[in-house]
Amino acid sequence: MIITNESDKKNMAYACRIVAETLQSLKGIVRPGVTTKELELYAEELIRSKGGIPVFKGYKGYPSGICTSVNSQVVHGIPSACVYLKDGDIISIDLGVKYKGFIGDAALTYPVGIISDEAESLLKVTEKSLYLGMEKATDGNRVSDISSAVQKYVESNGFSVVRAFVGHGLGKNLHEEPQIPNYVVGKPDYLLKRGLAIAVEPMVNAGGYEVSILGDGWTAVTVDGSLSAHFEHTLLVGENGPEVLTKL
Ligand code: MF3
Ligand code: CO
């Protein structure tokens, strides 16, 4: 949605602040030996203590308040008391929060202990591609300006951009118009307007871009077993670049 009035903007910004603070706090909790279920419980309690509601829970039947996707899992990994993080893993944590009717959504991939050079590079390239994409979120640009910036940077570094999932508009709903692909699709190409709230979220694989869904109906994994990273921010399109709301 396009957010123009100050009170809507304040609530949206606060939802996003809860998301950002929760992702920041999780940095202190992600370590070898912790289970993804413990991460979920920690995050949910923190979100609620700040007055927010985890919006993923129950969304299209998704069973958890956050997504925890480890190594070759791309997105929508379901937290589990049986999944223990170990040294050298990477884990993408994605969370959405509703506050006074407005929604913020962000994700980042954390290193667990010491990770490989390839994993390190994957994380750096994915995060940088998000920033290069967000830079294009300017009034008068097109969605494809974002998509193209992400795709070019990722592919020039030898990695691939996932096609099966895309970024999205948001506001009062988690998923609104327009879709924000991380690769250039062609027409129709949406015109970005000042105040439009969008989530830009590149998912980048070290190998091929193909993904498949596990038997739980949610967890997306790389088909070739390669590592995958995911960075996401919610922002408002501005006159001269984005106003990133899920950044502290
Ligand atoms: N950031 C993801 C998205 O925008 C997470 C959604 S998880 C779900 O699609 F459970 F809510 F589906
Ligand atoms: Co999202």
Side-chain angles (χ1 to χ4, degrees):
M1 66 182 285
I2 294 195
I3 296 182
T4 39
N5 87 63
E6 276 309 310
S7 120
D8 287 357
K9 190 172 165 183
K10 233 179 101 183
N11 291 329
M12 180 80 183
Y14 196 70
C16 289
R17 188 180 175 82
I18 296 174
V19 172
E21 288 177 352
T22 305
L23 287 172
Q24 173 73 34
S25 298
L26 280 162
K27 283 191 180 151
I29 308 296
V30 170
R31 59 171 180 276
V34 76
T35 68
T36 52
K37 187 72 188 174
E38 289 172 308
L39 298 176
E40 180 200 1
L41 294 175
Y42 175 85
E44 275 210 43
E45 189 168 309
L46 196 55
I47 290 165
R48 291 188 193 281
S49 76
K50 294 171 190 288
I53 301 164
V55 274
F56 292 177
K57 196 167 222 159
Y59 184 82
K60 294 184 176 165
Y62 184 73
S64 168
I66 66 172
C67 301
T68 52
S69 309
V70 181
N71 294 334
S72 62
Q73 297 181 346
V74 178
V75 283
H76 304 164
I78 301 171
S80 160
C82 303
V83 176
Y84 290 82
L85 298 183
K86 56 183 196 309
D87 193 46
D89 283 346
I90 57 172
I91 177 172
S92 303
I93 302 182
D94 188 353
L95 56 97
V97 167
K98 186 181 261 196
Y99 177 78
K100 292 196 176 165
F102 288 86
I103 291 173
D105 182 13
L108 74 93
T109 304
Y110 304 73
V112 183
I114 309 290
I115 61 173
S116 69
D117 290 348
E118 186 196 42
E120 192 87 57
S121 158
L122 181 67
L123 266 50
K124 282 217 176 81
V125 167
T126 308
E127 185 171 28
K128 176 101 189 272
S129 78
L130 167 60
Y131 276 84
L132 292 171
M134 290 197 299
E135 246 173 47
K136 304 291 180 187
T138 292
D139 189 280
N141 272 356
R142 302 267 170 184
V143 164
S144 66
D145 293 313
I146 297 174
S147 312
S148 156
V150 171
Q151 183 176 21
K152 276 195 187 127
Y153 184 71
V154 168
E155 292 179 354
S156 72
N157 280 278
F159 298 135
S160 67
V161 158
V162 170
R163 270 67 164 161
F165 301 98
V166 296
H168 49 94
L170 75 174
K172 290 190 170 160
N173 304 290
L174 176 59
H175 294 142
E176 299 179 356
E177 285 298 302
Q179 292 199 344
I180 316 283
N182 299 298
Y183 60 101
V184 179
V185 189
K187 290 179 192 293
D189 198 0
Y190 193 98
L191 181 64
L192 298 169
K193 285 258 183 275
R194 190 173 68 86
L196 178 71
I198 57 173
V200 181
E201 49 178 318
M203 287 141 271
V204 174
N205 297 349
Y209 65 73
E210 298 85 357
V211 304
S212 60
I213 308 295
L214 296 186
D216 62 20
W218 281 100
T219 312
V221 298
T222 58
V223 167
D224 60 13
S226 64
L227 293 175
S228 187
H230 180 204
F231 283 80
E232 173 179 24
H233 274 306
T234 295
L235 64 85
L236 298 179
V237 173
E239 289 290 354
N240 294 301
E243 195 174 334
V244 182
L245 298 180
T246 44
K247 215 170 84 178
L248 291 178

